[in-house]
Amino acid sequence: MRGQPLRWLVAAVVVAGAAVAAVQIADGALLIKGFGEVVRRPELLLLLLGGYAAAFVLRAVAWKGLLGRAGAGVTSGRLLSILHASLFANHALPVKAGE
């Protein structure tokens, strides 16, 4: 609990920086149009986010099956966190780090 405020602060700064970069790099009119579409059709956003989340759950299940007995002590939550760390590494590094 001690480091939680710092984590949230770092996360907020990273998200704000990414948002500023996106606005600077992307076409502003197109961004506004996209956000307007999300406001008009929020079920599409929920569908897309649900599918994205389901992909990670299915990957965790696949890894659990691949690990077999070797992964008996590894929880699905742990596998999900490893998959998300891998996703972050793939976005942050200039080379693909793997699944």
Side-chain angles (χ1 to χ4, degrees), residues 5 16 20 22 26 37-38 44 50-51 53 58 67 69:
V20 168
E37 193 63 32
V38 168
L44 291 178
L58 291 173
L67 290 172
R69 285 188 184 179

Side-chain angles (χ1 to χ4, degrees), residues 7-92:
R7 281 186 186 173
W8 281 104
L9 177 63
V10 170
V13 168
V14 169
V15 168
V20 168
V23 169
Q24 295 295 320
I25 294 169
D27 180 8
L30 192 56
L31 278 174
I32 291 170
K33 182 180 176 186
F35 282 121
E37 193 63 32
V38 168
V39 169
R40 281 191 295 280
R41 306 270 318 268
E43 70 277 4
L44 291 178
L45 179 63
L46 291 174
L47 180 67
L48 293 171
L49 289 175
Y52 192 70
F56 280 95
V57 171
L58 291 173
R59 283 187 193 108
V61 168
W63 272 108
K64 190 78 166 166
L66 286 170
L67 290 172
R69 285 188 184 179
V74 182
T75 65
S76 296
R78 179 72 178 142
L79 288 171
L80 280 170
S81 67
I82 291 169
L83 287 168
H84 281 91
S86 171
L87 176 68
F88 173 76
N90 284 332
H91 287 299

